[in-house]
């Protein structure tokens, strides 16, 4: 089943670094040539290329035989709300060892309690050149941590309201240190990392480590019509972008995917969508092909951008939270997201283009707008199209429990997403 390939990708993509690594492997197998941002480029029509931006953002593009026929760009984000481990991580409390963490993004905190959790990310080691440290990607890959709830007997009002202080209530349980834990017990976490990496502890200079749930994704429902998993926001579209550019059939134009980090914290980073990362890459692409700035700006003006991220589905226990007439449901296919505030990118023409693509290829679609008395989220589309003025449309897939440790979508919708991006790169 095709869905099994997506589930396998989900289990690999436990951090933005690992999502990029898994994406690179897919592209490499398909013949994409890796580019170094620090070196000159010599690009050719008819070839496919990819490049990493600071390890957690991935940009890939196919150059057709007639590169200026069109410019199509599809984007998604590689990050997700989670817990990140602080430096000097280990906290010793009466013989227990917990880890000091900080909250990344707008997570539903209570959903992370009483789960089996693990650690993954990068460990940075001392190298011969201080400006070129050695980087190791790691994934512990097994249940390692848990954040235990306080028992109901000690919090009788837990079912009435629950406020979790991240500095006090969300520290994951890591180890038993014993009553005689040394004052330097904080080194125990570095000892653990050193053993996992099989290196001397003294070489560890820093790390970026994500806490993630270890529960495997699964199909559920009377007919296995639902998919339950961590990181559906936004690995659904990371995978759809990869599948789309790999299977799109357009022989001309430029097809590009950009998978950005840091969307959940505002995108204003060197590898985020609100940076010059993608505009610079596209300008270098045009320059390497012998086209000037005027050609680049002209192609932006007639190009099209799909900004791809999840959307809120009608909740069966809270239908009043949905808009009165634009009510996306699980299984309704591609979700076109609109907002006159431009929190989502799009205009009437962009909506028409997206609907026409769906209609021409029998891809189901639906509309999402927030209730007029509720503030919604935002995505990459508006900031990208502001930095690269081109027509853009925010498109999603309806899910439940967005930003929970585990989210739910319709199994069939993943296929609709992948078909849309493939069609987008085929015309």
């Amino acid at each position: 089943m095709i869905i099994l390939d997506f589930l396998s990708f989900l289990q690999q993509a436990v951090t933005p670094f690992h999502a990029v690594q898994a994406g690179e492997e897919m592209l490499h197998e398909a013949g994409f040539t890796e580019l170094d941002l620090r070196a000159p480029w010599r690009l050719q029509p008819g070839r496919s290329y990819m490049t990493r931006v600071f390890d957690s953002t991935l940009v890939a593009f196919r150059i057709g035989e007639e590169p200026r026929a069109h410019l199509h760009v599809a984007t998604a984000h590689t990050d997700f709300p989670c817990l990140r481990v602080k430096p000097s991580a280990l906290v010793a409390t009466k013989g227990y060892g917990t880890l000091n963490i900080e909250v990344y993004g707008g997570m539903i905190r209570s959903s992370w309690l009483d789960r089996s959790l693990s650690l993954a990310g990068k460990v940075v080691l001392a190298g011969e050149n201080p400006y070129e440290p050695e980087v190791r990607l790691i994934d512990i890959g097994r249940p390692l941590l848990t954040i235990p709830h306080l028992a109901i007997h000690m919090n009788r009002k837990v079912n009435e309201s629950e406020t979790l202080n991240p500095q006090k209530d969300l520290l994951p349980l890591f180890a038993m240190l014993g009553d005689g834990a040394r004052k330097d017990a904080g080194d125990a976490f570095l000892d653990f990392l050193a053993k996992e990496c099989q290196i001397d502890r003294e070489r560890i200079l820093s790390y970026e480590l994500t806490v993630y749930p270890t529960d495997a994704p699964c199909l559920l429902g009377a007919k296995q019509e639902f998919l339950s998993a961590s990181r559906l926001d936004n690995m659904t579209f990371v995978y759809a972008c990869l599948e789309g550019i790999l299977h799109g059939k357009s022989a001309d134009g430029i097809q590009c995917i950009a998978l950005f980090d840091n969307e959940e914290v505002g995108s204003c980073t060197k590898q985020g969508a609100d940076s010059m990362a993608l505009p610079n890459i596209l300008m270098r692409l045009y320059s390497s092909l012998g086209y000037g700035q005027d050609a680049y700006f002209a192609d932006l003006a007639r190009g099209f951008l799909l900004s791809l991220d999840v959307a809120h589905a009608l909740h069966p226990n809270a239908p009043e939270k949905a808009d009165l007439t634009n009510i996306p449901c699980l299984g309704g296919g591609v979700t076109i997201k609109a907002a006159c505030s431009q929190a989502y990118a799009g205009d009437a023409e962009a909506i028409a283009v997206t609907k026409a693509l769906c209609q021409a290829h029998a891809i189901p679609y639906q509309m999402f707008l927030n209730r007029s008395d509720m503030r919604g989220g935002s995505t990459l589309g508006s900031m990208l199209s502001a930095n690269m003025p081109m027509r853009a449309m925010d498109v999603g897939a309806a899910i439940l429990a967005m930003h929970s440790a585990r989210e739910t979508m319709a199994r069939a919708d993943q296929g609709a997403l992948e078909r849309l991006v493939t069609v987008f790169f085929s015309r």
Side-chain angles (χ1 to χ4, degrees):
M1 293 185 295
I2 294 177
I3 194 68
L4 296 181
D5 294 332
F6 174 54
L7 299 187
S8 176
F9 179 83
L10 268 176
Q11 290 185 280
Q12 295 176 67
V14 291
T15 73
F17 308 120
H18 290 81
V20 166
Q21 182 182 62
E24 282 186 322
E25 290 173 0
M26 293 172 64
L27 295 169
H28 180 74
E29 289 177 6
F32 280 67
T33 300
E34 186 169 357
L35 298 172
D36 188 341
L37 289 175
R38 300 166 298 180
W41 290 359
R42 296 176 179 86
L43 309 182
Q44 299 175 15
R47 298 286 299 275
S48 302
Y49 301 91
M50 62 180 173
T51 186
R52 274 179 291 127
V53 183
F54 298 103
D55 294 332
S56 58
T57 287
L58 177 63
V59 178
F61 46 89
R62 291 193 289 115
I63 305 173
E65 295 297 338
E66 294 292 337
R68 295 200 59 202
H70 58 253
L71 175 61
H72 287 173
V73 180
T75 68
H77 65 87
T78 60
D79 62 326
F80 51 91
C82 62
L83 301 174
R84 297 281 174 88
V85 181
K86 289 182 178 180
S88 304
L90 197 126
V91 179
T93 307
K94 301 294 185 181
Y96 292 108
T98 57
L99 297 185
N100 194 7
I101 54 83
E102 55 185 332
V103 174
Y104 178 92
M107 59 186 280
I108 300 176
R109 296 174 184 176
S110 61
S111 68
W112 285 71
L113 303 184
D114 305 318
R115 291 183 177 274
S116 297
L117 306 169
S118 194
L119 281 177
K122 65 164 62 169
V123 177
V124 183
L125 312 175
E128 294 183 5
N129 183 345
Y131 289 98
E132 296 179 358
E134 180 183 341
V135 176
R136 300 259 185 108
L137 286 193
I138 67 165
D139 178 10
I140 304 304
R142 66 178 185 276
L144 174 70
L145 312 168
T146 191
I147 307 171
H149 242 120
L150 188 64
I152 193 170
H153 311 83
M154 300 174 185
N155 182 10
R156 294 288 183 178
K157 296 184 178 181
V158 66
N159 291 322
E160 299 172 25
S161 62
E162 183 176 37
T163 300
L164 297 172
N165 182 322
Q167 191 61 82
K168 180 179 182 297
D169 301 316
L170 296 184
L171 304 187
L173 182 62
F174 168 67
M176 288 299 297
L177 303 177
D179 292 333
R182 306 183 313 274
K183 291 183 179 179
D184 64 347
D187 290 340
F189 182 62
L190 290 183
D191 287 338
F192 171 80
L193 288 182
K195 182 177 180 181
E196 289 293 324
C197 296
Q198 297 183 336
I199 47 92
D200 293 333
R201 189 188 72 192
E202 288 71 24
R203 289 193 63 202
I204 299 176
L205 297 177
S206 63
Y207 50 73
E208 288 185 43
L209 295 174
T210 292
V211 179
Y212 73 91
T214 60
D215 320 57
C218 69
L219 300 175
L220 49 81
K223 299 179 181 179
Q224 292 196 317
E225 61 266 55
F226 303 121
L227 168 59
S228 172
S230 299
R231 303 180 295 281
L232 292 180
D233 178 9
N234 192 33
M235 295 307 160
T236 51
F237 279 114
V238 168
Y239 189 75
C241 284
L242 290 164
E243 285 289 296
I245 200 166
L246 288 173
H247 299 294
K249 300 184 184 304
S250 180
D252 290 319
I254 294 171
Q255 283 69 239
C256 174
I257 62 170
L259 311 176
F260 290 103
D261 194 5
N262 301 135
E263 189 273 345
E264 299 292 357
V265 292
S267 296
C268 190
T269 64
K270 62 188 183 302
Q271 64 268 33
D274 197 17
S275 72
M276 289 301 294
L278 184 57
N280 284 354
I281 287 171
L282 290 176
M283 283 189 280
R284 292 186 67 180
L285 186 163
Y286 271 71
S287 177
S288 181
L289 293 174
Y291 303 127
Q293 189 178 70
D294 190 63
Y296 170 62
F297 290 152
D299 288 356
L300 281 181
R302 58 190 180 87
F304 201 91
L305 166 70
L306 280 182
S307 168
L308 304 166
D309 204 346
V310 292
H312 296 290
L314 173 76
H315 196 295
N317 298 336
E320 71 279 2
K321 297 294 185 180
D323 182 54
L324 301 181
T325 57
N326 298 280
I327 310 171
C329 296
L330 300 186
V334 168
T335 302
I336 300 170
K337 301 160 67 174
C340 66
S341 68
Q342 290 297 295
Y344 305 127
D347 53 25
E349 291 90 341
I351 292 173
V353 168
T354 308
K355 286 185 176 181
L357 284 175
C358 290
Q359 290 173 1
H361 297 274
I363 300 171
Y365 66 87
Q366 54 192 341
M367 292 291 298
F368 170 81
L369 283 86
N370 287 294
R371 279 182 60 104
S372 298
D373 56 359
M374 291 180 64
R375 180 187 173 200
S378 60
T379 61
L380 306 175
S382 292
M383 62 185 73
L384 277 169
S385 59
N387 291 336
M388 305 187 311
M390 63 192 305
R391 178 150 277 138
M393 190 70 239
D394 262 303
V395 177
I399 70 169
L400 294 170
M402 188 186 297
H403 288 198
S404 174
R406 198 166 179 96
E407 300 158 325
T408 300
M409 69 180 293
R411 169 183 176 176
D413 287 344
Q414 181 62 31
L417 308 179
E418 293 173 25
R419 291 202 306 277
L420 174 63
V421 185
T422 301
V423 165
F424 179 63
F425 288 137
S426 298
R427 298 175 67 96

